[in-house]
């Protein structure tokens, strides 16, 4: 089984990732998304993210920006 703290942090990370792709949150940084998801501060979010996702939070945000560019390019092609 998984310990409660690991489960809780995984849940919070999933919430950060969910919130990051919502249209109303595209201008939010990692600190704001982390606080909205239940992390107490940016440092704890970064520590948990790098431990559980084996990457950097900035890479997640870069992916969000790339998805936005792809989506806008697709919309232009469909017009």
């Amino acid at each position: 089984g998984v310990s409660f703290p690991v489960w809780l942090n995984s849940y919070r990370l999933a919430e950060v990732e969910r919130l990051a792709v919502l249209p109303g949150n595209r201008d939010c940084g990692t600190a704001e998304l982390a606080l909205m998801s239940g992390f107490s501060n940016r440092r704890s979010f970064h520590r948990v993210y790098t431990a559980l996702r084996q990457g950097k939070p900035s890479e997640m945000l870069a992916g969000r920006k790339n998805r936005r560019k792809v989506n806008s390019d697709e919309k232009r092609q469909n017009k």
Side-chain angles (χ1 to χ4, degrees), residues 1 3 5 13 15 17 19 22-23 26-27 36-37 51 55 60-62 65-67 70 73 77 79:
S3 70
L13 285 179
E15 183 66 4
E17 292 165 340
L19 291 173
L22 293 177
R26 293 195 185 210
D27 294 326
M36 290 167 49
S37 301
M60 183 238 341
L61 291 181
K65 291 176 184 173
N66 290 339
R67 278 193 295 273
V70 168
D73 290 345
Q77 290 175 354
K79 286 186 179 181

Side-chain angles (χ1 to χ4, degrees), residues 40-60:
S40 59
N41 57 54
R42 192 182 75 161
R43 184 175 179 182
S44 66
F45 166 69
H46 279 264
R47 181 179 39 79
V48 169
Y49 191 94
T50 56
L52 296 180
R53 295 292 193 263
Q54 286 81 35
K56 297 177 182 178
S58 58
E59 294 167 351
M60 183 238 341

Side-chain angles (χ1 to χ4, degrees), residues 19-34:
L19 291 173
V21 297
L22 293 177
N25 295 333
R26 293 195 185 210
D27 294 326
C28 294
T30 56
E32 188 172 0
L33 292 169

